[in-house]
Amino acid sequence: MNYNNPKLHFLLSLSLALFIASNGPLSFSFNPNQNDGRRSTHNGVLMTRFSRSTRSPSPSSSSPQVFNVDDFGARGDRSDDSQAFYKAWNRACSSKFGVVLVPKNRVYHLKPITFSGPCKSSQITMRISGTIKASPRRSDYEKDTRHWMVFDNVQNLRVEGGGTINGNGRKWWRNSCKINKALPCTHAPTAVTFYECKNLRVANLRSKNAQQMHINFQKCENVQAVNLRVIAPGNSPNTDGIHITDTQDIQIMNSVIRTGDDCISIVSGSKNVRATDITCGPGHGISIGSLGADNSEAEVSNVMVNRARISGTTNGVRIKTWQGGSGYAKNILFQNIEMINVTNPIIIDQNYCDQDEPCHEKRSAVKISDVVYNNIRGTSDSEVAVKFECSRSSPCEGISLTNVNLVREGDGVVEASCENVSFDKSGRVFPRCSNT
Ligand SMILES: *[C@@H]1O[C@H](CO)[C@@H](O)[C@H](O)[C@H]1NC(C)=O
Ligand SMILES: *[C@@H]1O[C@H](CO)[C@@H](O)[C@H](O)[C@H]1NC(C)=O
């Protein structure tokens, strides 16, 4: 592997090269069930490096104290169980190794609820084995229409247990301006928000039918999201699967995401983001952005998507920025990705415009540089399988494509469309731009 660009070399020496070396450009492998142990041996050095910064809380060896929501009056019938959850949380939060237990085989209904820290505990766990379901009454959200469940400022938190978090979003979807054009555009709640949480592990859960986004990591540090199933209908509006904003050192592993919007969206303030073994689709694919809306500054760096199967989505791996922003999206690696009938498998769109009025050309843009696409194969549902639509004012630089092979789903030609982009390296690429 000989990359000459010094910045790219820096990126790769940030141990990402180990992934290329260990997986080999040709040895495409995807196994959603691959366990953590094997992977950590497989990519030993990388995991060692990463585990220093993404140390997860140690298993609660000292006897955990379990607070079953049923013991605090939760009924699991159709009544509101919010108070019981608050009480159980507050007790767990003030004991050393507190566990809030949500028993299985029952459905608990919650209004908007915030589980606040900081806690006295060295570690706190919410073990969701049953189902938590959101109140569908929109009047319950009058005070804050943006959130349903929030974990606020909690350190050393685990949320796990094999159960389901159901946003019960159908009523919200019907009232979305994307579904009913006569209605004004308003926000619906994010189902679960982790806000300012450090050392967080979210594992073995199902998140379904969120009101809007499913899971939002905001201003968090050192996060593992493992074995999640995030499911909503393909036509449900804005139901992003996992949204990452202002968050550092986050790994998403072994997860299946099928929704009506981005499977994973990574926005400003995020760095050291790794997504591995992701099954995505339907939905809008894996996105960095949108960035730079309303002339804002955005910074995203060190993102790796490794081993993904993306199927039936509108986009595969996408970077999208509005015109007029500033800042950067850089050091990004997409590799070992299988595309199945994806409309825009590889796309950088610096003219992103998700509003009714047309967006006019502006003189600045969020700078996109050092993006590597390696071992990306499969089928495109449109003629333009590779699309770099970069801004005139701030062209895309250091774009590198190797082992890319995208053909048309069914029959037909594919092409690449490349505007205002400079390539570092381009080896074994189909379709390729005429200027490479
Ligand atoms: C590919 O996706 C399009 C919609 O994006 C759909 O109409 C078509 O049936 C799909 N083809 C296959 C073979 O799944
Ligand atoms: C950017 O793309 C536009 C549209 O294709 C083209 O007219 C312009 O010359 C390009 N600018 C640069 C600097 O390549």
Side-chain angles (χ1 to χ4, degrees):
M1 258 318 123
N2 176 24
Y3 290 102
N4 292 323
N5 178 314
K7 273 180 289 172
L8 191 57
H9 189 261
F10 169 76
L11 156 70
L12 293 172
S13 66
L14 262 176
S15 75
L16 298 180
L18 289 167
F19 263 94
I20 296 176
S22 58
N23 290 323
L26 287 172
S27 66
F28 180 84
S29 82
F30 174 81
N31 178 0
N33 297 318
Q34 194 169 42
N35 69 36
D36 296 351
R38 180 180 168 255
R39 199 169 328 108
S40 60
T41 327
H42 192 50
N43 295 303
V45 185
L46 180 62
M47 290 308 288
T48 310
R49 175 194 161 260
F50 215 88
S51 62
R52 219 183 309 133
S53 59
T54 63
R55 175 176 39 87
S56 62
S58 58
S60 42
S61 46
S62 320
S63 51
Q65 262 188 293
V66 178
F67 300 95
N68 185 332
V69 293
D70 288 356
D71 296 336
F72 293 85
R75 311 229 315 241
D77 52 19
R78 301 199 67 84
S79 55
D80 172 35
D81 288 321
S82 304
Q83 288 312 315
F85 274 64
Y86 273 124
K87 287 178 190 158
W89 173 265
N90 288 337
R91 289 291 300 280
C93 186
S94 49
S95 67
K96 194 154 168 44
F97 291 99
V99 177
V100 174
L101 176 65
V102 181
K104 63 177 170 196
N105 300 328
R106 301 187 76 176
V107 181
Y108 298 90
H109 286 76
L110 298 186
K111 292 184 177 175
I113 188 163
T114 297
F115 300 107
S116 302
C119 290
K120 291 207 187 83
S121 45
S122 325
Q123 188 191 303
I124 181 161
T125 301
M126 183 169 282
R127 189 172 301 141
I128 302 168
S129 300
T131 295
I132 296 178
K133 201 166 180 179
S135 161
R137 271 185 307 276
R138 302 210 305 154
S139 58
D140 284 344
Y141 299 77
E142 259 161 9
K143 271 194 283 183
D144 174 5
T145 56
R146 306 293 280 265
H147 303 100
W148 172 42
M149 283 173 69
V150 180
F151 292 88
D152 181 11
N153 193 13
V154 187
Q155 326 300 319
N156 304 319
L157 168 66
R158 289 174 168 235
V159 181
E160 56 192 27
T164 299
I165 298 173
N166 184 344
N168 213 358
R170 292 215 154 72
K171 244 185 210 168
W172 294 95
W173 306 338
R174 273 201 303 274
N175 285 287
S176 161
C177 65
K178 292 204 171 158
I179 301 294
N180 182 344
K181 304 269 183 224
L183 294 172
C185 293
T186 54
H187 284 278
T190 295
V192 184
T193 301
F194 294 95
Y195 185 80
E196 288 188 339
C197 292
K198 224 187 235 181
N199 305 332
L200 167 65
R201 182 178 162 91
V202 182
N204 307 323
L205 288 171
R206 180 187 294 258
S207 168
K208 70 185 250 199
N209 295 346
Q211 301 92 324
Q212 191 167 317
M213 283 180 192
H214 283 80
I215 303 174
N216 179 18
F217 296 103
Q218 184 171 6
K219 296 194 178 193
C220 292
E221 255 179 74
N222 188 15
V223 179
Q224 290 186 356
V226 190
N227 289 328
L228 303 179
R229 288 184 70 86
V230 182
I231 313 284
N235 60 0
S236 56
N238 300 108
T239 50
D240 293 53
I242 297 177
H243 186 70
I244 299 171
T245 175
D246 268 317
T247 287
Q248 301 188 7
D249 299 316
I250 174 166
Q251 305 182 66
I252 302 166
M253 296 182 286
N254 264 319
S255 291
V256 176
I257 306 166
R258 312 183 188 286
T259 70
D261 207 302
D262 295 333
C263 290
I264 298 176
S265 47
I266 301 163
V267 303
S268 186
S270 299
K271 70 177 187 192
N272 302 334
V273 176
R274 294 180 27 191
T276 49
D277 298 308
I278 304 298
T279 302
C280 164
H284 297 179
I286 297 176
S287 282
I288 296 177
S290 61
L291 305 176
D294 303 320
N295 305 317
S296 61
E297 184 179 347
E299 296 178 355
V300 173
S301 61
N302 299 350
V303 175
M304 178 177 70
V305 176
N306 186 35
R307 294 195 302 262
R309 169 193 284 259
I310 302 180
S311 101
T313 54
T314 51
N315 303 284
V317 289
R318 167 165 67 157
I319 304 176
K320 51 177 172 173
T321 68
W322 296 73
Q323 299 198 42
S326 62
Y328 56 79
K330 65 183 183 187
N331 295 348
I332 294 159
L333 173 60
F334 296 113
Q335 73 166 354
N336 301 324
I337 296 173
E338 184 183 3
M339 306 276 182
I340 302 155
N341 197 27
V342 172
T343 312
N344 303 295
I346 292 179
I347 177 168
I348 295 182
D349 177 7
Q350 291 209 287
N351 295 314
Y352 183 70
C353 183
D354 185 21
Q355 63 184 29
D356 289 338
E357 314 84 70
C359 298
H360 298 292
E361 182 164 357
K362 293 192 179 160
R363 257 171 295 164
S364 71
V366 176
K367 178 84 184 173
I368 297 175
S369 65
D370 298 320
V371 185
V372 178
Y373 300 86
N374 179 46
N375 195 22
I376 300 190
R377 285 133 203 278
T379 59
S380 171
D381 180 42
S382 76
E383 190 166 325
V384 184
V386 174
K387 185 170 182 175
F388 296 109
E389 188 177 326
C390 297
S391 93
R392 209 185 285 249
S393 58
S394 170
C396 299
E397 284 172 5
I399 308 298
S400 170
L401 296 136
T402 50
N403 292 305
V404 171
N405 188 15
L406 294 163
V407 298
R408 190 73 180 264
E409 178 74 40
D411 278 332
V413 293
V414 287
E415 62 177 40
S417 151
C418 306
E419 275 176 29
N420 302 307
V421 52
S422 76
F423 294 96
D424 255 21
K425 184 175 161 84
S426 180
R428 306 215 302 198
V429 176
F430 181 84
R432 63 194 302 142
C433 298
S434 45
N435 60 345
T436 57

